[in-house]
């Protein structure tokens, strides 16, 4: 095959020759897929054998992987001064054909973000992750950036946010990751973040509302609202409203609300069954940290459902996700009792 010869791989014992019009390609993380140029579609399975493959080993000495303006992976041979879209490791692929589980069995409590994104090319996607300097937010931002996405880490603490960006760049120096200031406890900060992001004239394909606080003592924000409610919900609510137009112009797009199963253990109705909005930002005498957290997570669910109802007809989908019970991260740092509980549960739960 001409392409194999061009890449210096014409001496191959491969018996799986592709039909006319087909091309073998690889993703950034080494998974092989097949492009049908006649029908303008791609698929993971080999068009003849039905097998799935991945490349084995590192790139040969002198080779480097790049991405073009269309998000397509190509390879540079610095020694012979040439480029090719054919992965030089394709002569050394291994089969990957595990038994196909059903949807409920595909992922479990030990599945990592990198495994979820395996084989996916996120090049060209712009993604905002709030609270991305540690914990779930950092693992999410890192995994997306390592799969080609342009990820914005929206964080209150810029020192820690920039350190997180550097950790991502240490894993892949060409990752597109940047930090921007966002303090959800300040509605002015939310406005400033949205204005700064819009000034970049970037699309927005995914907004992941991940940042949260837990176990805080009662305190009011500069806007006069209870902190847990504003940080976990209202700040994100406002952020979505300010960026909604960008999402709609970037379809298909998505909003992801990181909520919790704890939303089931509360309500926002009074004794007569009517909505009591005073429960959302209670006074100090009516405040209990756990209930405040649960109510904020319930609001996340309600917001996600309503967003999906309003925006999905326009190409913007909204989902809410439960990241796992008692997952050990830094969210419990504000109260030693919760830190103790999370520490005791850590051997039995998923951690970063």
């Amino acid at each position: 095959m001409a392409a194999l010869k061009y890449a210096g791989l014409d001496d191959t014992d491969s018996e799986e020759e592709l039909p006319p019009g087909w091309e073998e390609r690889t993703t950034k993380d080494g998974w092989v897929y097949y492009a049908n140029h006649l029908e303008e579609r791609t698929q993971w399975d080999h068009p003849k054998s039905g097998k799935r493959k991945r490349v084995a080993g590192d790139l040969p000495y002198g080779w480097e992987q790049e991405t073009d303006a269309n998000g397509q992976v190509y390879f540079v041979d610095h020694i012979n001064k040439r480029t090719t879209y054919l992965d030089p490791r394709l002569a050394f692929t291994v089969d990957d054909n595990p038994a196909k589980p059903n949807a409920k069995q595909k992922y479990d409590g030990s599945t990592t973000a990198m495994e979820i994104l395996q084989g996916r090319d996120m090049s060209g996607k712009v993604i905002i992750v709030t609270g991305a300097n540690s914990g779930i937010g950092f693992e999410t931002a890192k995994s997306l950036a390592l799969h080609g996405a342009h990820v914005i880490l929206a964080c209150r603490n810029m020192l820690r946010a920039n350190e997180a960006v550097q950790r991502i760049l240490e894993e892949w120096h060409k990752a597109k990751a940047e930090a921007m200031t966002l303090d959800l406890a300040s509605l002015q900060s939310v406005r400033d973040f949205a204005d700064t992001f819009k000034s970049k004239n970037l699309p927005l394909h995914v907004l992941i509302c991940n940042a949260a606080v837990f176990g805080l003592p009662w305190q009011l924000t500069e806007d006069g609202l209870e902190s847990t409610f504003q940080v976990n919900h209202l700040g994100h609510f406002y952020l979505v409203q300010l960026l909604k137009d960008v999402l709609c112009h970037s379809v298909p797009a998505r909003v992801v609300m990181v909520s919790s199963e704890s939303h089931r253990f509360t309500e926002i109705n009074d004794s007569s069954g009517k909505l009591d909005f005073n429960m959302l930002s209670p006074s100090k005498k009516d405040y209990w940290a756990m209930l405040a957290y649960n109510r904020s997570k319930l609001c996340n669910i309600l917001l996600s459902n309503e967003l999906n109802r309003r925006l999905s007809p326009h190409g913007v989908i909204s989902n809410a996700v439960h990241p796992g019970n008692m997952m050990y991260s830094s969210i419990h740092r504000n109260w030693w009792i919760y830190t103790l509980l999370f520490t005791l549960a850590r051997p039995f739960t998923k951690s970063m």
Side-chain angles (χ1 to χ4, degrees):
M1 295 171 66
L4 283 173
K5 185 175 182 180
Y6 179 71
L9 300 172
D10 49 320
D11 184 19
T12 175
D13 58 358
S14 174
E15 298 177 356
E16 296 185 336
E17 186 175 350
L18 292 169
W22 286 82
E23 182 185 357
E24 198 171 32
R25 296 177 177 174
T26 55
T27 63
K28 281 187 175 64
D29 47 359
W31 292 91
V32 179
Y33 67 100
Y34 302 91
N36 184 339
H37 296 294
L38 301 178
E39 299 180 10
E40 296 185 347
R41 62 183 178 87
T42 61
Q43 64 187 55
W44 294 112
D45 300 335
H46 189 284
K48 283 187 177 179
S49 68
K51 294 181 179 180
R52 294 192 178 194
K53 296 181 179 181
R54 55 186 174 86
V55 295
D58 298 326
L59 287 169
Y61 177 76
W63 287 80
E64 186 176 13
Q65 181 176 284
E66 300 279 0
T67 306
D68 65 18
N70 297 318
Q72 177 63 47
V73 175
Y74 68 95
F75 302 88
V76 181
D77 179 359
H78 292 290
I79 296 176
N80 296 304
K81 310 296 183 184
R82 58 182 178 174
T83 62
T84 175
Y85 282 88
L86 194 70
D87 191 326
R89 298 168 294 175
L90 281 172
F92 310 102
T93 57
V94 294
D95 290 343
D96 185 77
N97 294 288
K100 292 184 178 180
N102 61 43
K104 291 184 178 180
Q105 295 174 331
K106 189 172 183 180
Y107 305 118
D108 58 26
S110 63
T111 305
T112 65
M114 291 295 286
E115 290 170 338
I116 295 289
L117 291 171
Q118 190 176 69
R120 297 183 182 274
D121 186 356
M122 303 297 291
S123 299
K125 302 296 183 183
V126 179
I127 301 173
I128 293 174
V129 184
T130 68
N133 61 273
S134 64
I136 296 169
F138 174 71
E139 292 297 324
T140 301
K142 179 185 75 172
S143 301
L144 291 165
L146 294 182
H147 282 79
H150 178 177
V151 182
I152 293 172
L153 289 72
C155 307
R156 176 179 58 85
N157 187 323
M158 284 304 291
L159 176 62
R160 295 181 64 187
N162 285 319
E163 289 174 350
V165 169
Q166 287 304 310
R167 295 204 305 273
I168 293 172
L169 295 177
E170 286 170 5
E171 293 206 29
W172 186 34
H173 70 286
K174 293 185 179 180
K176 294 180 181 179
E178 63 175 301
M180 288 179 58
T181 303
L182 173 64
D183 183 358
L184 293 164
S186 164
L187 296 181
Q188 180 62 55
S189 177
V190 178
R191 283 194 295 272
D192 291 343
F193 173 87
D195 290 342
T196 302
F197 176 78
K198 288 180 177 180
S199 70
K200 295 176 177 289
N201 294 316
L202 291 171
L204 178 57
H205 301 101
V206 186
L207 171 59
I208 301 178
C209 299
N210 162 79
V213 292
F214 176 82
L216 287 182
W218 183 86
Q219 56 185 327
L220 297 179
T221 66
E222 64 182 51
D223 301 297
L225 297 161
E226 189 278 313
S227 293
T228 301
F229 171 63
Q230 180 164 337
V231 172
N232 292 8
H233 175 67
L234 192 62
H236 282 131
F237 177 94
Y238 191 34
L239 180 63
V240 172
Q241 299 308 307
L242 293 173
L243 296 179
K244 184 169 59 176
D245 56 336
V246 186
L247 286 162
C248 289
H249 283 101
S250 308
V251 295
R254 185 182 301 267
V255 176
V256 179
M257 302 294 304
V258 180
S259 184
S260 170
E261 281 284 355
S262 64
H263 81 275
R264 301 180 186 277
F265 306 107
T266 189
E267 58 182 24
I268 51 177
N269 294 332
D270 61 20
S271 56
S272 64
K274 295 182 179 179
L275 287 174
D276 184 355
F277 292 108
N278 291 322
M279 291 183 178
L280 300 179
S281 184
S283 62
K284 186 173 183 178
K285 67 180 179 66
D286 296 322
Y287 178 78
W288 182 28
M290 191 71 222
L291 272 180
Y293 178 80
N294 294 355
R295 285 169 181 156
S296 70
K297 297 290 105 177
L298 175 58
C299 288
N300 290 164
I301 299 284
L302 297 174
L303 170 60
S304 181
N305 288 346
E306 183 62 16
L307 278 175
N308 195 65
R309 187 185 72 82
R310 295 188 184 193
L311 299 184
S312 59
H314 304 287
V316 181
I317 295 172
S318 179
N319 301 108
V321 60
H322 168 55
N325 290 317
M326 300 293 286
M327 178 177 282
Y328 194 91
S329 67
S330 60
I331 194 172
H332 51 76
R333 63 186 178 274
N334 296 296
W335 198 356
W336 71 267
I337 294 178
Y338 288 117
T339 299
L340 176 61
L341 290 174
F342 274 82
T343 302
L344 293 173
R346 188 172 189 177
F348 312 101
T349 61
K350 188 175 181 179
S351 61
M352 294 301 113

